[in-house]
Amino acid sequence: MREVMLESPINYEQKCCVSFVLDVSGSMSGTPIDELNKGIQLFHEQILNDSTAANRLEVSIVTFGSTVDTIVQPSLVTNFSMPTLSTNGTTKLVDGVREGIRVVKERKKWYKDTGQPYYRSWVILITDGDPDAGQDVDGLRADINQGIKSKDFHFFAIGVQGANMKTLAHISSPDWPPASLKGLDFSSFFKWLSVSLGSSGVTGSKDGDTLKLTDPGIWMNGVPVS
Amino acid sequence: MKKIQDALKTVLTSVGDQKQNKEAVKTVEPCWLAVADSVIGKSHISNHTVCQDNHYFGSFKQCPDWGIAVVCDGAGSAVNSHLGSEFVAKKVIPSLFEKAIIDAKWHLHSTAPSDEEWKELAWEQLKNTYLALKNHAENELGKELSSLSCTVIIVVYSPHGLFVTHIGDGRAAYCNEQGEWHPLIVPHKGEEANMTFFLTSITWLQHKHFELPNGNTIPESRIVRGKHRAFTLLSDGMEQHSFVCSSWDSVNEQWSDPNQAFSGFFDPLVKAIKSEITNEGLNASIHDGWKKILTSGTPQIANENDDKTMILAIHR
């Protein structure tokens, strides 16, 4: 068969929203926040280099310390530069995760209102501590379970050294328990995450696919989840 | 279940007998020629899983001016879906549909049947396909039916037009005599981007001509009457590369699926295939060329994670 010059149609890529809920409380000061900043910059670069994921993944950043701030609204990585995080105050973890949930639910509503197909969203929590006293941890657990049950989002919690893993296990689904980061190796985690959310993982998946993610053992303490 | 097994045996035996009976076979050359292949996607290579797509193209033994094209795409998470798609595409659908059409004597009529007649025959034969797959899974392989889940697109070609039916996603289109491409199916999609329906989804069996919120039915069946230049059917791994299927209106903030076969992709292929037609059919070398197109015909195709199947048929 002789050589054929084929044109490709231009198609709008279906979207996947991921909301990072990041602990910037005082205990993250110094090396932890520096390594977290390096990690999120690396994630940004990795997704930029994956042309399919760069057109599909909408990233949001919610930070929590004494206050909760959505510093990046859901955006393609080509449309924003990753901010540099700085630390402040205490650990309003419950409020932070609730804001992350609100962001992905609002984005899902927009996808549906505009008629576009979408991949299920992700809320990814990274924390090194315990929620402030008086925070409604049980209520958050109920919200997360309800959101997972209604297929609104997936939830994944990462505990950094000093994190209360029991609290993270309490709010997480038993099908997707929290993971403990090895040291401060945010770079390895975000590199793994960029592959998992990239075109060879979530944003390239089809119905019913079992996502065979690469081994998280490189960044995760304990037995790797298969 | 025994009735289905007996029916299949009868079909396979009678088709074999009819090869012997030259008087029963119309001496007609096949008027449709096709290239067809299924190629494994990037993610399946890296995950060390097999290609879950399968396909079939061939003319009916008793009346070669009729024939059938089938594309099946195995469900991603179903561990045996490659077995399901192969069984359905190659072993069941061609023989079931040929027998049903011959029994109905449609090949002897001077016009196409009605839309309703095709809709009923298609539903009945898809039901029989489901039952055959169930028997194969549970009694022959000792596996759960759901592990062999797959989608299915069927195009029966005839002197009167194209008869189409499908369950699930993927795309199909035809080129009319004016050289214009038009869709043959509206794919069945779920709420989330990567969701679809399967032959093994019990819903369409329990609710005949099950209607989706968008007005489409499962299965969706139609006849496109008249003479056509070409037709194509493909699994969803090829849709982004050959169809305009996802458009964003940034002014009105609305998404739509034009479901339009892209002429910049298909017209050069039709021209290339036509140049390979000889008195004996298609040059054998074209099939290697087709495999190469489905593997890396464009940079985007080369980068595709999903399995890719495409049948492109040309009217002589």
Side-chain angles (χ1 to χ4, degrees):
Chain A
M1 186 172 172
R2 60 184 169 87
E3 199 77 16
V4 186
M5 291 301 295
L6 300 176
E7 287 179 52
S8 295
I10 296 173
N11 280 304
Y12 178 78
E13 296 282 3
Q14 48 227 14
K15 300 294 183 269
C16 176
C17 181
V18 60
S19 183
F20 288 110
V21 181
L22 305 177
D23 186 339
V24 295
S25 61
S27 57
M28 288 284 289
S29 296
T31 309
I33 201 72
D34 290 343
E35 291 303 313
L36 178 57
N37 275 320
K38 277 187 199 165
I40 57 178
Q41 291 294 341
L42 178 65
F43 178 81
H44 190 266
E45 280 164 29
Q46 296 270 122
I47 297 297
L48 265 179
N49 290 334
D50 180 338
S51 57
T52 303
N55 281 305
R56 289 187 180 178
L57 202 63
E58 294 192 317
V59 177
S60 162
I61 309 269
V62 173
T63 60
F64 65 90
S66 297
T67 58
V68 174
D69 299 291
T70 302
I71 59 174
V72 177
Q73 295 290 344
S75 307
L76 297 175
V77 293
T78 47
N79 293 341
F80 75 97
S81 300
M82 196 58 96
T84 301
L85 307 177
S86 53
T87 56
N88 79 83
T90 62
T91 312
K92 290 211 183 303
L93 182 148
V94 170
D95 295 340
V97 175
R98 283 205 164 120
E99 172 62 8
I101 291 173
R102 185 199 66 76
V103 165
V104 300
K105 283 175 100 167
E106 190 176 87
R107 199 63 178 168
K108 178 182 170 178
K109 182 179 181 307
W110 182 75
Y111 294 149
K112 291 180 80 165
D113 287 347
T114 53
Q116 56 182 295
Y118 57 90
Y119 295 97
R120 200 174 309 169
S121 302
W122 288 76
V123 176
I124 297 177
L125 165 66
I126 299 180
T127 180
D128 76 334
D130 222 345
D132 291 344
Q135 291 250 291
D136 180 15
V137 175
D138 286 339
L140 178 63
R141 171 185 151 100
D143 290 346
I144 290 171
N145 283 341
Q146 179 57 40
I148 291 170
K149 197 175 160 187
S150 332
K151 299 183 181 181
D152 285 334
F153 54 83
H154 299 290
F155 178 76
F156 191 24
I158 312 295
V160 184
Q161 52 194 33
N164 188 328
M165 296 304 292
K166 277 189 181 168
T167 302
L168 295 185
H170 181 65
I171 63 174
S172 298
S173 160
D175 295 326
W176 203 292
S180 167
L181 188 72
K182 270 183 187 170
L184 293 173
D185 197 0
F186 288 107
S187 293
S188 294
F189 165 70
F190 278 105
K191 191 172 178 189
W192 172 89
L193 188 67
S194 69
V195 172
S196 302
L197 292 176
S199 57
S200 56
V202 168
T203 55
S205 66
K206 60 183 231 188
D207 182 35
D209 270 350
T210 298
L211 290 176
K212 288 189 182 173
L213 305 178
T214 53
D215 183 2
I218 193 166
W219 59 265
M220 195 170 83
N221 280 321
V223 176
V225 175
S226 62
Chain B
M1 198 50 58
K2 186 159 185 325
K3 280 188 184 172
I4 296 297
Q5 288 175 294
D6 290 344
L8 276 175
K9 279 187 197 163
T10 305
V11 165
L12 293 170
T13 307
S14 66
V15 168
D17 286 347
Q18 279 152 18
K19 275 185 182 174
Q20 312 290 324
N21 185 353
K22 289 181 182 172
E23 285 180 6
V25 177
K26 288 165 71 173
T27 49
V28 175
E29 287 293 317
C31 37
W32 286 90
L33 299 171
V35 284
D37 212 337
S38 298
V39 170
I40 191 170
K42 250 178 57 172
S43 68
H44 284 169
I45 294 172
S46 57
N47 289 343
H48 307 292
T49 50
V50 297
C51 181
Q52 293 171 321
D53 281 7
N54 266 287
H55 66 276
Y56 176 88
F57 181 88
S59 54
F60 289 173
K61 305 292 186 292
Q62 196 171 3
C63 48
D65 50 347
W66 287 65
I68 190 166
V70 186
V71 166
C72 290
D73 182 355
S77 66
V79 294
N80 302 305
S81 66
H82 58 293
L83 300 177
S85 67
E86 183 184 23
F87 182 73
V88 167
K90 293 185 190 301
K91 306 235 170 70
V92 176
I93 283 180
S95 47
L96 276 183
F97 274 77
E98 178 173 354
K99 182 177 188 307
I101 287 169
I102 299 297
D103 286 351
K105 297 184 170 35
W106 287 358
H107 63 303
L108 300 176
H109 296 171
S110 56
T111 56
S114 68
D115 291 343
E116 198 55 37
E117 284 174 308
W118 167 240
K119 193 173 160 186
E120 287 305 312
L121 182 145
W123 192 91
E124 197 60 36
Q125 297 317 312
L126 285 169
K127 184 192 81 177
N128 289 337
T129 303
Y130 170 95
L131 293 171
L133 183 61
K134 189 172 192 296
N135 175 62
H136 181 60
E138 292 171 359
N139 299 329
E140 291 173 4
L141 299 179
K143 298 188 189 301
E144 290 211 12
L145 171 62
S146 59
S147 74
L148 276 75
S149 291
C150 62
T151 64
V152 57
I153 305 176
I154 298 163
V155 175
V156 172
Y157 60 83
S158 78
H160 314 306
L162 303 173
F163 304 5
V164 191
T165 189
H166 81 102
I167 297 174
D169 58 11
R171 302 273 168 171
Y174 71 98
C175 182
N176 65 15
E177 291 208 292
Q178 290 72 45
E180 299 159 345
W181 286 92
H182 296 280
L184 280 171
I185 69 168
V186 176
H188 298 131
K189 302 269 194 187
E191 181 182 321
E192 291 181 1
N194 41 5
M195 285 186 170
T196 188
F197 297 89
F198 299 102
L199 177 69
T200 47
S201 309
I202 197 76
T203 307
W204 70 271
L205 267 176
Q206 291 176 334
H207 307 279
K208 199 172 180 185
H209 309 307
F210 179 76
E211 191 167 316
L212 292 167
N214 64 1
N216 202 355
T217 55
I218 306 177
E220 181 196 15
S221 303
R222 61 184 292 219
I223 298 177
V224 181
R225 291 173 174 78
K227 300 212 180 296
H228 313 294
R229 287 189 191 175
F231 69 85
T232 184
L233 46 166
L234 46 120
S235 62
D236 67 333
M238 277 300 294
E239 68 176 9
Q240 293 268 338
H241 314 298
S242 61
F243 270 66
V244 180
C245 52
S246 180
S247 286
W248 176 248
D249 175 353
S250 55
V251 171
N252 296 309
E253 286 207 331
Q254 270 301 315
W255 179 88
S256 65
D257 176 359
N259 195 19
Q260 178 60 45
F262 188 56
S263 56
F265 182 85
F266 284 107
D267 288 349
L269 286 173
V270 169
K271 197 171 168 185
I273 292 166
K274 276 192 165 162
S275 70
E276 300 286 337
I277 295 175
T278 66
N279 290 335
E280 286 73 43
L282 284 171
N283 273 330
S285 63
I286 198 175
H287 301 291
D288 284 343
W290 190 244
K291 185 178 278 297
K292 199 174 162 189
I293 289 194
L294 296 190
T295 304
S296 55
T298 65
Q300 294 84 352
I301 290 175
N303 210 32
E304 173 59 52
N305 278 314
D306 198 1
D307 298 331
K308 297 159 279 185
T309 294
M310 184 179 282
I311 298 175
L312 181 55
I314 312 293
H315 197 274
R316 286 178 99 133

